[in-house]
Amino acid sequence: MSFSWYINRIKTFSLPELIYRVRQRYQTHVIDKRLFKKLIPVKLELPYSSIINDSEAHHSFFIFNTFVDIYKPIDWHIDLSSGKSFPLSFAHQINIRSDQFGSAKYVWEVNRMLFLTLIAMEYKKTKEEKFLELLMYHISSWTQQNPYLTGVNWYSNIEVNIRLINWHYCWKLIDAESLIKTNEKFRQFVDAIWHPLICNHVEYSHKHPSYYSSANNHLVSEYAGLYVASLTWKNLPNQKEIFEFAQKGLEEEIQNQHTVEGVNREEAAEYIQFINDFFLVAAIVGREKRVPFSDNYQKKLHQIAKYLNAFLDCKDNYPMYGDGDDGYLLCPYSKAHFNNFTSQLSTFAAYFEDPTLKRKSLTWDNKSNLLLGAKGKVIFDQLKALGDPLGSSFFPKSGHYIFRKRKENFETYMHFDAAPLGFLSIAAHGHADALSFILHVDGKPIFVDSGTYTYHTHREWREYFVSTLAHNTIQVNKKNQADLAGPTLWLNHYKVQTLSFNMDHPLEVIKATHNGYKKQGVEVIREICFNSEKDEFVITDVLTGIGNFEIEIPFHFHPNVMIEKKESGFLLQVPGSRPVLLEPAPFLHYEIIQGQEKPILGWYSEHFGEKVSSPVLYAKLKCNATARLVTKIRILE
C-alpha cells in the first residue's frame, strides 16, 4: 500500500474513528503479533479420505472463471487466476492491495469453503462414510495450512464469518450432534480440530469488528457469523455475551444499512443478494432456535424483499449499478454462477408466506431447501404466484427509479440512478454513476452498466470500470463525479437531489441533479420522461457552466447488441427482443468504439475477473456556458 493511500484513508476518519483506528492498530499489530509469535504450529495427521486417495475421483467447484477440484487436496494460499501464492506470514502485515502475491479475492473465495455444504449434502443423502471423511479432511487440511493469525486467510474478518456460517450448515446437514454420540472418529475430530478452530474464528471475529467507515457489509457479516455460531456450538467462550452483542448489532445494522424504503445504502446492486443473506440466515436461525428478532427487524427484512422483487426485470436480471464480485454467503451448487436473487425471493416468499413475492418464474432450489427445508417448500408450493411487477416502482427517498411496462412476455424496463455515491465516508463499493441509466427490453440487456472486473489488481482497469465514463451518464472535463483515492476509496462525494417526479399515466417523469462538477463550475440536470403508450423515453440533459467546458456522452451496450446506423439515429437489435431506436441530439457526432485500450473504452464485465469488448456510442462536445441535449429511445414493434 502506498503512502498516499494511507493519507487519503485518514482523510475519511472522524476524530472518534481516528481514536478507534489507533486502538485497532494496537490490537492487530501489538496484541495479535505477540500472540502470533507465541503460537506453536501444531502438526496434524490429516484424516484418511477414500475420495482423496482415489485418483479417478474428481469434482469441480467453480470459482469465478476457474475451478477447484474438491475431491483433491487444496492449496489454501494459491491464487487460481495467476498461480501466485500468498506468504505464510503474520496476517495483518500481508499486502493485499497490489498483485504482488496475486488476487486475495480469488484466494478468499476458495477459503470461504462454500463447497463444504455440497459434501455435507452428499453425506446426508447417501450416509456414505467417504463424504464425512472428505469433510473432515478439508477442515483438517485448512487448520494445518492456516495456523491462527498466519496467512492471508486471517486477514479479513468477513471471510472468518462466512466460514462460520457455512460450517453451521454443514453441522446441521450431517447431524453432528448425533454423530458425536455414535461415531468415535468424528467425536475426536470435533474435539481436537473442528471445535478449537470454531473457537478461534469466534474469538477473531469478536476482537476485530468493522466499525465507523468500515461498518458496511463487513460488520453485518461479523454480527451474523457470531450470532449463528453462538446458537450452534456449545462451550464457546463468552457465549451469552457474544449472542447478545451479535443480536443487538444485527437489529441496529438492518436499519442503519437500508433506507426507509428498504434499499441497501452501499449502492452496489449485486451486493444486495450478498448482504440480504446475512440478515435472512440470522432471522431463520433465530426463529429455529426460538430467539426471534424484533418486529422492526422483520418489517425491514420484508421491505428489503419487496425492493428485491421490484428491481428485477421479467427475466430476473438485475441492474448492475456499483460493484459486483459474484460473492455468495452460501452456494450449494457446483456451477460457476447462479441467480441468488431468484433463490432469495423464493426463500423470502416462503419465510413471510407472502404470495406477492412469488413470481411465476420462481422455483424451489437447493439453497432455499438448505435454509427452510421441506416445511418451507410446502409453504412455497401453496402460495399463489402474485409477484410479477407490471408497472413502475419509484423509490424517491432512496434515489432509485424503475420504469416498467409489462404485458405477458414483453417488457420495457429502465433503471435510473439518482442515488448517493455509496455508504459511509469511503463509499467503498459505489461507482461514479450519478444520473446513469440501464435499459432492458423483453428481459434482454440493451444499455448496460459496464460492470466491475477487478478490485485490487490491474489498477488501470479498476479505475476505468468505476469511472463516470464507464456509465450511461455525462462526464465533464474528463473528470469523475467524485475523486477515486484507492481501489475501494472515494473522496469528495457528490450529492444527488431529485428535483421532481410523477407517475401519472401515461407520462412518468423524473428530474434530478448532482453537484459532482461543482469544482468545474458546471451544474448537471437530467430529466427522463417515459411515455408508456408510445413505449418511448425522452432524456433531456441540461448543463450550465461558468465559461467553457467539455462534455463526453457515452452509451454503453451489451456485447450482444448489434448497431446499425440509420438516418434518424441508431437501430439496436438483440436476438429475442424487440428492436430499439436511439435518436441522440442531432448536432453530436457519435462514433462506435469497442475494445479500446489506450485510453480504455468499450468493455463489459458481467462477472468478476472477466471482461469482453462491447460497443459504446461515444461523443464529446465543447460547450460555452450551457448545453441542452435531448435523446430519444423508442422501443419498436
Side-chain angles (χ1 to χ4, degrees):
M1 290 174 283
S2 67
F3 180 73
S4 62
W5 181 89
Y6 281 109
I7 296 299
N8 287 326
R9 188 68 179 90
I10 291 170
K11 288 178 182 178
T12 69
F13 294 167
S14 62
L15 180 58
E17 178 167 6
L18 185 60
I19 295 169
Y20 161 73
R21 293 292 174 184
V22 171
R23 290 174 177 169
Q24 186 188 50
R25 187 80 174 179
Y26 184 78
Q27 170 69 50
T28 57
H29 284 68
V30 178
I31 297 175
D32 284 358
K33 196 163 189 178
R34 283 175 188 165
L35 179 58
F36 169 76
K37 289 179 177 179
K38 290 179 181 178
L39 292 172
I40 301 173
V42 178
K43 290 187 178 180
L44 298 176
E45 185 176 335
L46 298 183
Y48 174 82
S49 169
S50 57
I51 296 180
I52 290 288
N53 288 281
D54 182 349
S55 61
E56 296 183 0
H58 298 280
H59 188 133
S60 295
F61 183 84
F62 280 84
I63 303 290
F64 304 133
N65 55 350
T66 184
F67 68 91
V68 60
D69 188 342
I70 65 174
Y71 283 1
K72 291 291 171 278
I74 294 172
D75 182 339
W76 300 103
H77 300 276
I78 193 170
D79 163 20
L80 296 173
S81 67
S82 69
K84 295 180 179 180
S85 289
F86 280 80
L88 281 170
S89 55
F90 180 51
H92 299 304
Q93 290 184 328
I94 296 174
N95 179 13
I96 67 155
R97 289 183 170 83
S98 75
D99 55 5
Q100 179 182 1
F101 305 117
S103 170
K105 178 67 180 167
Y106 274 82
V107 178
W108 289 338
E109 199 69 23
V110 177
N111 284 267
R112 289 178 174 182
M113 304 180 87
L114 307 183
F115 59 83
L116 279 189
T117 56
L118 288 174
I119 297 169
M121 288 165 70
E122 282 298 314
Y123 176 75
K124 180 180 180 180
K125 181 172 68 175
T126 66
K127 296 299 180 185
E128 292 185 39
E129 194 75 10
K130 64 183 181 181
F131 294 113
L132 183 61
E133 291 174 351
L134 183 60
L135 186 142
M136 291 191 291
Y137 176 89
H138 282 313
I139 293 173
S140 300
S141 168
W142 195 94
T143 305
Q144 182 186 64
Q145 292 187 38
N146 294 274
Y148 192 42
L149 299 176
T150 302
V152 74
N153 295 314
W154 288 105
Y155 182 99
S156 173
N157 204 354
I158 192 171
E159 310 305 321
V160 167
N161 290 280
I162 290 174
R163 284 194 288 274
L164 281 172
I165 292 171
N166 277 271
W167 292 342
H168 157 82
Y169 280 102
C170 291
W171 188 269
K172 184 177 177 181
L173 284 164
I174 65 176
D175 191 8
E177 298 292 344
S178 298
L179 270 178
I180 288 170
K181 300 172 184 176
T182 60
N183 187 317
E184 179 62 19
K185 187 188 298 183
F186 180 74
R187 185 193 66 77
Q188 291 178 4
F189 160 73
V190 171
D191 289 347
I193 298 173
W194 203 1
H195 195 270
L197 183 60
I198 289 164
C199 289
N200 278 343
H201 276 63
V202 170
E203 177 186 342
Y204 186 95
S205 177
H206 197 207
K207 288 183 177 179
H208 301 85
S210 300
Y211 291 149
Y212 295 98
S213 60
S214 297
N216 50 19
N217 64 86
H218 287 245
L219 184 60
V220 176
S221 78
E222 290 153 17
Y223 286 139
L226 289 173
Y227 180 81
V228 169
S230 68
L231 291 176
T232 305
W233 293 289
K234 302 171 184 176
N235 303 319
L236 294 178
N238 307 311
Q239 191 154 359
K240 185 174 184 295
E241 175 194 336
I242 286 173
F243 165 75
E244 292 173 350
F245 166 79
Q247 187 179 53
K248 181 175 182 288
L250 286 167
E251 289 275 6
E252 292 174 350
E253 290 310 309
I254 199 170
Q255 306 298 336
N256 293 341
Q257 302 210 21
H258 294 90
T259 70
V260 295
E261 297 167 317
V263 180
N264 188 269
R265 294 181 187 274
E266 288 217 51
E267 299 304 335
E270 198 205 55
Y271 266 72
I272 290 173
Q273 58 79 25
F274 183 58
I275 296 164
N276 284 356
D277 267 345
F278 289 108
F279 288 116
L280 178 57
V281 163
I284 291 170
V285 173
R287 181 188 281 185
E288 289 173 350
K289 301 294 184 179
R290 301 187 179 181
V291 284
F293 287 89
S294 69
D295 287 345
N296 284 338
Y297 184 100
Q298 301 291 351
K299 287 176 183 176
K300 181 60 71 174
L301 191 62
H302 202 171
Q303 196 178 37
I304 289 165
K306 291 176 181 178
Y307 176 70
L308 177 65
N309 186 39
F311 98 146
L312 299 178
D313 74 8
C314 66
K315 298 295 185 183
D316 306 321
N317 301 305
Y318 67 96
M320 287 171 43
Y321 60 82
D323 272 345
D325 61 14
D326 296 274
Y328 303 115
L329 172 58
L330 296 163
C331 184
Y333 306 94
S334 297
K335 57 189 178 183
H337 308 291
F338 80 101
N339 191 334
N340 194 32
F341 290 105
T342 55
S343 176
Q344 225 165 63
L345 265 183
S346 297
T347 310
F348 274 130
Y351 179 81
F352 288 111
E353 299 185 32
D354 183 354
T356 67
L357 295 176
K358 183 179 178 181
R359 293 179 167 213
K360 293 184 178 71
S361 61
L362 296 184
T363 58
W364 193 254
D365 64 3
N366 281 351
K367 180 168 167 285
S368 294
N369 206 58
L370 180 66
L371 294 177
L372 292 179
K375 290 182 181 179
K377 186 178 187 304
V378 170
I379 295 171
F380 178 81
D381 289 343
Q382 290 174 346
L383 293 174
K384 290 184 178 180
L386 305 178
D388 290 272
L390 302 178
S392 298
S393 302
F394 286 6
F395 301 87
K397 294 178 181 177
S398 309
H400 289 276
Y401 299 90
I402 297 160
F403 298 95
R404 187 192 320 259
K405 175 187 176 183
R406 182 174 178 184
K407 186 176 182 182
E408 298 176 348
N409 294 325
F410 297 102
E411 181 186 65
T412 300
Y413 170 103
M414 176 182 281
H415 174 271
F416 177 52
D417 186 343
L421 175 62
F423 188 45
L424 304 173
S425 62
I426 61 173
H429 294 294
H431 290 186
D433 57 1
L435 309 187
S436 65
F437 71 92
I438 64 99
L439 175 71
H440 297 178
V441 176
D442 306 331
K444 300 288 185 179
I446 308 293
F447 292 78
V448 296
D449 181 298
S450 297
T452 299
Y453 179 54
T454 187
Y455 282 167
H456 297 297
T457 59
H458 307 93
R459 176 181 173 181
E460 69 280 10
W461 289 100
R462 175 63 178 171
E463 290 177 353
Y464 169 72
F465 278 102
V466 302
S467 72
T468 299
L469 190 61
H471 299 84
N472 296 314
T473 188
I474 294 178
Q475 178 168 278
V476 175
N477 291 339
K478 299 189 181 298
K479 301 286 186 181
N480 285 325
Q481 297 161 340
D483 297 331
L484 186 66
T488 52
L489 174 60
W490 290 96
L491 301 178
N492 300 316
H493 301 190
Y494 52 74
K495 292 182 179 179
V496 185
Q497 180 184 1
T498 296
L499 300 175
S500 62
F501 70 93
N502 71 68
M503 300 180 71
D504 298 333
H505 183 79
L507 295 179
E508 297 174 342
V509 185
I510 310 291
K511 181 186 285 188
T513 184
H514 72 82
N515 67 350
Y517 292 118
K518 187 176 181 180
K519 286 185 177 180
Q520 304 297 315
V522 178
E523 179 189 55
V524 181
I525 297 175
R526 170 167 280 185
E527 179 185 86
I528 297 184
C529 177
F530 177 45
N531 186 324
S532 58
E533 286 187 349
K534 293 183 177 180
D535 236 352
E536 178 183 80
F537 294 91
V538 177
I539 302 174
T540 304
D541 293 301
V542 178
L543 295 95
T544 306
I546 302 171
N548 298 327
F549 58 94
E550 182 180 75
I551 62 175
E552 295 169 274
I553 315 100
F555 293 111
H556 297 267
F557 302 109
H558 190 274
N560 292 339
V561 172
M562 296 173 286
I563 305 174
E564 184 180 352
K565 181 74 173 72
K566 296 288 186 179
E567 186 174 337
S568 58
F570 297 89
L571 184 65
L572 314 171
Q573 293 181 292
V574 173
S577 76
R578 290 167 293 163
V580 176
L581 183 64
L582 169 66
E583 301 178 29
F587 53 84
L588 292 175
H589 172 67
Y590 272 94
E591 58 179 319
I592 300 174
I593 297 175
Q594 184 163 349
Q596 179 177 289
E597 295 192 16
K598 292 184 180 179
I600 298 173
L601 186 62
W603 295 88
Y604 177 71
S605 173
E606 184 171 352
H607 297 291
F608 191 83
E610 301 176 13
K611 69 180 190 305
V612 296
S613 64
S614 71
V616 176
L617 278 179
Y618 172 82
K620 59 184 177 180
L621 180 68
K622 291 185 177 180
C623 308
N624 182 8
T626 62
R628 185 174 184 272
L629 314 174
V630 178
T631 304
K632 292 183 180 180
I633 301 172
R634 190 181 312 142
I635 289 79
L636 306 177
E637 295 299 327

